[in-house]
Every structure is written in C-alpha cells, then in structure tokens.
Amino acid sequence: MKSNLIIIFICFLMISCNSNQNNSSSENVQSIANEDSLRNEFDYQFDIIYNSVDTVKLISHDHYFYYCFGKFENPHKLTEHFGKLFKVNKESTYVFNDSTQIDTLFRIVHLNSFIKFFFDEEENLMQLVSGRIIGTELQMTNNLRVGLTRDEVEIILFKENKHRLKATKVVQIITALEGIWIDLVLDNQRLQEIKIDSDYQVNKT
C-alpha cells in the first residue's frame, strides 16, 4: 500500500512539471507573437508593417480610428455635437460616380480644415469619409491634434516615448478591416497636418 502511494506521488510530480513547462512555453510564444504590437490606454493595437527612415506605417486592429472624432448615431447628433463650434455643411454627392445614386455628406469646417461624414443606414452610424486638418481646433477624442510635439504624438499612439518618431515625417495609420487611411504629417518637431482618406467612392474634398 505504501509503495503504491509513493508511485502515485511521483506520477503527480511528473505531470505537474510537464504542465509548468507547457505553460512557460506558451507564455514565451505569446510574448514573441506580441513583440511588435503596441497598445495604449484606449486599448487599440498596432502592428508595424513598414518602417523606413522617414515613414512609419501602422495597421490598427480595432474600431477606434473609424470613429476617432466620436460615434454618432445620426446626422442630428453629429450636427448637434460639432455645430456649437464649427460650421456643418450638407453636400450632395454621386456614389461610385453614378448620377442615379445620390447621397448626402456632412462636411465639418473650420477655416481651411475639414472632416467629412456620411450616414450609413445599415449600421445606423455616421461614417468618416475624408478630411484635412491644418489647425489646432479639430481634434480626435484621444486628443491627437495638429500642433502636438513628436513626443506627445508618440505617447498618445504608443503610451510611452521611446523616440520611435525621432526622424519620422509621416505616420500612416491603416485600419485592418475596411479602408481608412490617416496620415500624420510631422515637421519641425511638431504634427503639422492630419490627412484622412477612405475607400468610399464619393466626393472627398
């Protein structure tokens, strides 16, 4: 009986050691898999897909940059939010350059800056179409805006400053699912311009 208990105890120790080794191996694999993934306090994640001396391209894996100026359920809420400080213009546009398909765009304007939206009836949400921001007034909900220093931009994007953007002229953020491209143009140590494009086939200017 005693010898049986000893054998059972030895088997338990062997199984426990193997389990710990497997967990350690799994953790190492996970660490390696996430090595190039950078998170910030908004819980969005980037993978670096191209990195040259003056250009950084990042793939965004969540929905934040679809709604980086806010999430609005209809044109009224969009106008109510932006109309207090900015001009909101309604525009008619052809869809896919087809004169039989006409949609309405909402253009938020301040001086020479603008962002443009349309209402997606399927999603019941306002979708970002395009934009060009060269002033400090229009800003994203994470406080990303023209006029920030390189270090401030890096802290917003990566939650830390390791001088990744020291020589960078353009940071391009690309959404992983549907096409949104956001270019952050850096010059003289500051963010000078934000350019936004999408794969929506409408008037974007």
Side-chain angles (χ1 to χ4, degrees), residues 35-38 45-52 55-59 61 158 164:
E35 191 172 40
D36 291 330
S37 297
L38 306 166
Q45 181 181 0
F46 296 121
D47 289 330
I48 299 175
I49 61 169
Y50 178 76
N51 195 347
S52 69
T55 303
V56 175
K57 293 188 178 182
L58 307 170
I59 288 285
H61 289 282
F158 305 129
R164 295 181 183 88

Side-chain angles (χ1 to χ4, degrees), residues 72 75-89 107-110 137-138:
F72 306 100
H76 173 72
K77 290 189 176 181
L78 178 83
T79 303
E80 188 177 54
H81 176 79
F82 285 106
K84 298 172 184 177
L85 297 175
F86 309 111
K87 187 184 294 184
V88 181
N89 297 329
R107 193 172 191 263
I108 315 303
V109 182
H110 182 76
E137 292 79 12
L138 281 169

Side-chain angles (χ1 to χ4, degrees), residues 5-19:
L5 289 174
I6 293 172
I7 292 171
I8 291 170
F9 180 70
I10 292 171
C11 290
F12 173 79
L13 288 177
M14 291 176 64
I15 293 169
S16 177
C17 288
N18 287 335
S19 175

